[in-house]
Amino acid sequence: MNYTLHQLEIFCKIADLKSVTKASEELFLTQPAVSIQLKKFQEQFQNPLFEVVGRKIYITEFGTEIAIAATNILNEVQALNYKALSFHGELAGTLKIAIVSTAKYAMPYFLTDFMNQHPSVDLVMDVTNKAEVVRSLESNDVDFAMVSTIPKNLKIDRIQLMENKLHLVGGRQYTQSSKNLNPKIFEQLPLIYREQGSATRNAMERFMASHKISTYKKMELTSNEAVKQAVVAGLGFSIMPLIGIKNELNTGDLQIIPVKDLPMVTNWNLIWLSSKNLSSIAKRFVEHINENKSLVMNAHFNWFNDY
């Protein structure tokens, strides 16, 4: 057999995504180039690695076994590369972070300088909801997580990064009052919620419960971006984190509606398991955050003070 590491990488990506098109997009290759390499890889085996039914690709049982073996080979090769770089004094390896979806508006700013300073460090960042972030942390699948609510069932260490302000937000269609409204205003508004498991959803429900508010209409969407676009379109109103709506506030597509007892203010935190044996990369990242978080805040989030 004479397969290449490139072919292994392509086949693993296809097996993972079940799509040649999606694999080509993630690998930044043309679809014909991926198809050619997949064909050459298949020619080296007597048993089929995949089947095409209609326009869908299905990985066979044999193909699944090959994908597992190929993944192990690629991981070993990557480990060899990291060891070679480390021998020459470079920080090399993988930094794994899980963040709640709204944190995607902030975490990249805390990562940029670190990644630029250490080009041999690879980043894997999973963007999901709070429940999945906590699960990833608890199962030790990641080094760090960025959350606004500290999980109570885990012993964690943390670095407080920045404030998380949550306001009632409406589209440009809303005729706004200049004074703080009574929280009972929520009973007159069609409200849009995040999905169960979202920290924003939990905060919104706590606010409703603490003010004994009964909502008359409710819509549920599965991402902060989806909620934002729904509010912009005039489908309803929502309590949203300030961090994700800067551009829409500037353009007037969204407006903050002043309500008594809002905004709710929590804090964004970088957290990790207290029991975790941090890698050299993770330790260096903690040092970097402690040394530079104030600089990041001043450079990118001073606009928070306007709200």
Side-chain angles (χ1 to χ4, degrees):
M1 291 187 179
N2 193 31
Y3 48 76
T4 66
L5 292 176
H6 185 51
Q7 288 170 352
L8 293 180
E9 182 183 20
I10 286 174
F11 181 66
C12 285
K13 188 62 69 175
I14 292 171
D16 181 41
L17 299 175
K18 308 296 189 295
S19 167
V20 171
T21 301
K22 291 179 181 178
S24 65
E25 290 172 353
E26 288 213 4
L27 293 169
F28 301 102
L29 297 170
T30 65
Q31 188 171 330
V34 169
S35 296
I36 289 170
Q37 292 304 316
L38 177 62
K39 182 175 182 294
K40 289 181 177 179
F41 189 59
Q42 172 63 83
E43 288 172 351
Q44 299 179 72
F45 301 94
Q46 293 182 352
N47 296 324
L49 299 170
F50 61 92
E51 299 173 335
V52 178
V53 180
R55 300 184 65 179
K56 293 185 177 181
I57 189 168
Y58 296 89
I59 307 301
T60 64
E61 183 178 355
F62 176 69
T64 300
E65 293 296 321
I66 294 298
I68 293 171
T71 298
N72 291 334
I73 291 170
L74 292 170
N75 288 340
E76 289 297 322
V77 170
Q78 188 178 54
L80 285 174
N81 292 335
Y82 290 153
K83 286 178 182 178
L85 290 166
S86 296
F87 187 79
H88 289 284
E90 291 187 41
L91 195 65
T94 303
L95 180 66
K96 297 180 180 179
I97 302 177
I99 65 174
V100 295
S101 60
T102 310
K104 68 176 181 278
Y105 301 108
M107 192 71 235
Y109 294 102
F110 292 96
L111 283 162
T112 300
D113 286 345
F114 181 80
M115 298 303 296
N116 288 339
Q117 291 167 14
H118 305 289
S120 298
V121 172
D122 295 327
L123 173 66
V124 176
M125 187 163 69
D126 184 27
V127 183
T128 181
N129 65 28
K130 179 196 169 187
E132 284 301 308
V133 166
V134 173
R135 186 203 61 75
S136 295
L137 198 68
E138 190 171 18
S139 59
N140 203 32
D141 292 334
V142 295
D143 300 307
F144 302 103
M146 184 175 174
V147 295
S148 60
T149 305
I150 304 298
K152 295 179 180 179
N153 61 322
L154 299 178
K155 291 183 178 180
I156 59 99
D157 292 329
R158 67 175 177 134
I159 300 173
Q160 186 173 305
L161 298 176
M162 58 189 291
E163 284 188 340
N164 179 37
K165 297 181 180 180
L166 297 104
H167 290 269
L168 175 63
V169 177
R172 64 168 66 243
Q173 306 90 344
Y174 180 75
T175 303
Q176 181 171 315
S177 170
S178 59
K179 64 178 182 179
N180 279 358
L181 301 174
N182 188 292
K184 291 294 183 180
I185 187 67
F186 283 93
E187 296 181 347
Q188 304 171 27
L189 302 175
L191 295 177
I192 303 172
Y193 283 74
R194 284 288 305 277
E195 78 284 3
Q196 291 286 352
S198 160
T200 303
R201 165 73 171 257
N202 293 342
M204 193 166 173
E205 289 181 335
R206 284 197 304 271
F207 182 83
M208 301 299 172
S210 67
H211 291 82
K212 298 181 173 57
I213 297 169
S214 299
T215 58
Y216 82 95
K217 185 178 180 182
K218 185 162 61 178
M219 186 185 307
E220 182 177 301
L221 298 175
T222 57
S223 74
N224 190 72
E225 198 65 29
V227 172
K228 180 166 65 176
Q229 294 306 320
V231 176
V232 168
L235 281 173
F237 301 78
S238 189
I239 291 180
M240 299 189 69
L242 178 62
I243 196 172
I245 59 174
K246 176 184 178 182
N247 291 338
E248 289 74 18
L249 290 174
N250 287 339
T251 61
D253 288 330
L254 291 179
Q255 56 181 313
I256 290 174
I257 301 171
V259 176
K260 183 183 177 183
D261 297 332
L262 288 180
M264 290 181 283
V265 180
T266 58
N267 288 290
W268 289 109
N269 301 276
L270 184 75
I271 66 173
W272 62 96
L273 292 176
S274 298
S275 59
K276 186 172 181 61
N277 183 20
L278 294 179
S279 67
S280 57
I281 293 173
K283 289 177 181 177
R284 189 75 63 86
F285 185 61
V286 168
E287 293 172 1
H288 174 83
I289 292 296
N290 278 324
E291 292 170 2
N292 294 280
K293 65 175 185 176
S294 295
L295 295 175
V296 173
M297 281 299 302
N298 291 333
H300 301 288
F301 298 103
N302 259 345
W303 62 275
F304 261 46
N305 298 327
D306 296 335
Y307 300 94

